[in-house]
Amino acid sequence: METVILAVVIAVVVLGALGGLVVGSRRKKSLPPPPPAAPDITAPPAEPHVGDEAETPRDEPRRTIEEVDLPDGSAPVAVEEPPAVPDLEAPPIEVPEPTAGRLVRLRARLSRSQNALGKGLLTLLSREHLDEDTWEEIEDILLTADVGVAPTQELVDGLRERVKVLGTRTPEELRGLLREELLKLVGTDFDRTVRTEPETSKPGIVMVVGVNGTGKTTTTGKLARVLVADGRSVVLGAADTFRAAAADQLQTWGERVGAHTVRGPEGGDPASVAFDAVKEGKEMGSDVVLIDTAGRLHTKTGLMDELGKVKRVVEKQAPLDEILLVLDATTGQNGLVQARVFAEVVDITGIVLTKLDGTAKGGIVVAVQRELGVPVKLVGLGEGADDLAPFEPEAFVDALIGD
């Protein structure tokens, strides 16, 4: 009996096991495949293939592996290289126009703008009878042209005498007569050379002075171009520390022709900048140092005294070879007042007349030379970079009276 019961139990167990296998097999076939595992955002990114350049886009930064020994023995860290920055090219250095070629063009420009004076005089002198009224008209033309009272009387007296002796006058004779008398006024015996070659040792030192608005800084830059065109090496001293843009403006002029510029902080001591400019010019072996001083009103005593200080400080390094006074040719008699005050503070050795074209009347050349007893050495005839030229009396007078 017990044997039968045992056999039945075994049979039940075997049948149950077989049934479980069948059910499990069916469940496996009916269940869908599991979804893909979510990425682990905390895991470090896979290392790139360093040598595979073809897979690196051109517009994306390259990645390289910087081998760093980390204390915890971690893998090397990927370091992103910044994109390469192209080198900025320096502005090309300009080659200024030679002085000779510049004069040809400037003579023509002066002739177009100034020959009204000469034509007016020639017209009056060509009258058949030169009475007192005619001579008064001639005086008026000369005075209106800013020649000045004393030079005007001198010219009229000379013309009276020459015309009286000459008698009958042809147009050619009148032009020659007027040319000779004007040349006497302008002066042909002045030394108009801008002294930039000292007798002892270089550099030559030139200081540029003048009131505000006369074109002082621009004249300094243009003078640098003239010197570079003549094969000279130049250092610029930006001693105008009161006007914010003056140093930048002067440095731009220098960079165009390869001249070194010495500058100081805005509002700094101009005498210190001038001193440093001369010092660096000597150390560099430069031919010329040009010092641009701050524009100042001739009526301000304190500012004029400071200009004298700049001169004294510079002369501790080396003697000044030239002090150029820049005057606006359109200011007329007011320019003479300015010139007189500046000459009392510093020893003016030469005059630069700017804006001699346009509304300038030409006679200021005679008046300012008589006032100071120093020659006009340079003239500015326009806004162009090369519109500065040495003053030539013959070319000036020829332009006044026309062809």
Side-chain angles (χ1 to χ4, degrees):
M1 189 67 176
E2 292 177 359
T3 304
V4 175
I5 293 173
L6 180 61
V8 172
V9 172
I10 293 173
V12 172
V13 172
V14 172
L15 290 175
L18 292 176
L21 291 175
V22 173
V23 173
S25 176
R26 290 179 179 178
R27 287 181 178 176
K28 285 184 180 180
K29 291 181 180 181
S30 61
L31 291 177
D40 187 359
I41 60 174
T42 61
E47 294 181 3
H49 196 310
V50 178
D52 192 0
E53 296 185 1
E55 296 179 0
T56 302
R58 294 181 177 225
D59 57 349
E60 293 184 4
R62 295 278 307 277
R63 290 178 177 271
T64 59
I65 301 301
E66 181 181 357
E67 298 294 340
V68 180
D69 295 332
L70 299 178
D72 57 356
S74 301
V77 179
V79 179
E80 181 177 320
E81 289 184 351
V85 179
D87 295 333
L88 297 177
E89 295 183 0
I93 294 178
E94 300 176 9
V95 180
E97 180 182 356
T99 304
R102 186 184 304 124
L103 283 174
V104 173
R105 175 169 49 84
L106 295 184
R107 284 173 188 157
R109 180 178 298 177
L110 181 62
S111 177
R112 290 195 301 271
S113 61
Q114 300 296 332
N115 59 13
L117 169 63
K119 286 182 178 180
L121 293 176
L122 286 173
T123 299
L124 292 174
L125 291 172
S126 298
R127 292 179 178 177
E128 186 175 353
H129 300 289
L130 297 178
D131 53 16
E132 289 300 320
D133 291 340
T134 302
W135 289 114
E136 287 183 5
E137 289 184 54
I138 291 175
E139 289 182 358
D140 290 342
I141 289 178
L142 293 170
L143 291 173
T144 303
D146 290 329
V147 173
V149 176
T152 293
Q153 191 61 49
E154 181 181 326
L155 177 60
V156 170
D157 291 344
L159 287 173
R160 277 177 178 264
E161 185 68 25
R162 298 286 297 274
V163 169
K164 183 178 180 180
V165 173
L166 185 62
T168 305
R169 306 169 301 280
T170 66
E172 291 75 16
E173 289 172 335
L174 285 174
R175 179 173 282 102
L177 173 64
L178 183 59
R179 184 179 189 275
E180 291 177 8
E181 294 299 321
L182 286 173
L183 279 176
K184 288 181 182 179
L185 283 185
V186 175
T188 58
D189 53 349
F190 279 115
D191 179 11
R192 301 182 187 275
T193 304
V194 179
R195 295 194 296 269
T196 57
E197 298 182 8
E199 297 180 359
T200 55
S201 61
K202 60 183 183 181
I205 305 173
V206 179
M207 188 166 75
V208 184
V209 302
V211 301
N212 295 303
T214 57
K216 194 170 37 52
T217 299
T218 299
T219 296
T220 306
K222 290 182 178 181
L223 179 55
R225 293 180 67 89
V226 173
L227 294 170
V228 171
D230 292 338
R232 317 292 297 282
S233 58
V234 179
V235 169
L236 298 173
D240 184 354
T241 59
F242 298 124
R243 188 164 61 93
D248 293 336
Q249 181 183 358
L250 189 64
Q251 184 167 353
T252 299
W253 278 103
E255 289 173 349
R256 290 177 179 174
V257 294
H260 176 62
T261 303
V262 178
R263 55 187 297 177
E266 182 178 344
D269 182 14
S272 176
V273 176
F275 183 88
D276 291 341
V278 176
K279 181 180 178 181
E280 291 194 29
K282 294 172 67 174
E283 293 173 351
M284 296 171 62
S286 300
D287 295 318
V288 186
V289 175
L290 301 179
I291 302 173
D292 175 36
T293 61
R296 56 201 72 230
L297 294 175
H298 57 287
T299 56
K300 300 296 183 181
T301 305
L303 293 177
M304 296 303 292
D305 290 343
E306 187 178 69
L307 182 62
K309 173 188 173 184
V310 174
K311 176 179 180 292
R312 293 190 300 272
V313 169
V314 168
E315 289 177 331
K316 292 181 180 179
Q317 281 276 358
L320 278 163
D321 298 285
E322 194 84 67
I323 300 179
L324 298 176
L325 173 63
V326 180
L327 292 176
D328 184 338
T330 64
T331 59
Q333 295 299 313
N334 188 42
L336 298 183
V337 177
Q338 298 171 9
R340 189 181 305 117
V341 177
F342 274 89
E344 294 172 356
V345 178
V346 290
D347 300 323
I348 304 298
T349 59
I351 303 162
V352 182
L353 282 177
T354 62
K355 306 176 186 178
L356 195 55
D357 59 340
T359 60
K361 300 168 184 177
I364 188 66
V365 172
V366 176
V368 73
Q369 288 185 153
R370 290 294 183 92
E371 180 68 31
L372 298 184
V374 297
V376 173
K377 294 190 173 184
L378 297 168
V379 289
L381 297 173
E383 300 297 329
D386 292 316
D387 288 343
L388 182 75
F391 179 76
E392 291 186 353
E394 293 83 0
F396 177 75
V397 171
D398 288 343
L400 287 180
I401 62 177
D403 298 330

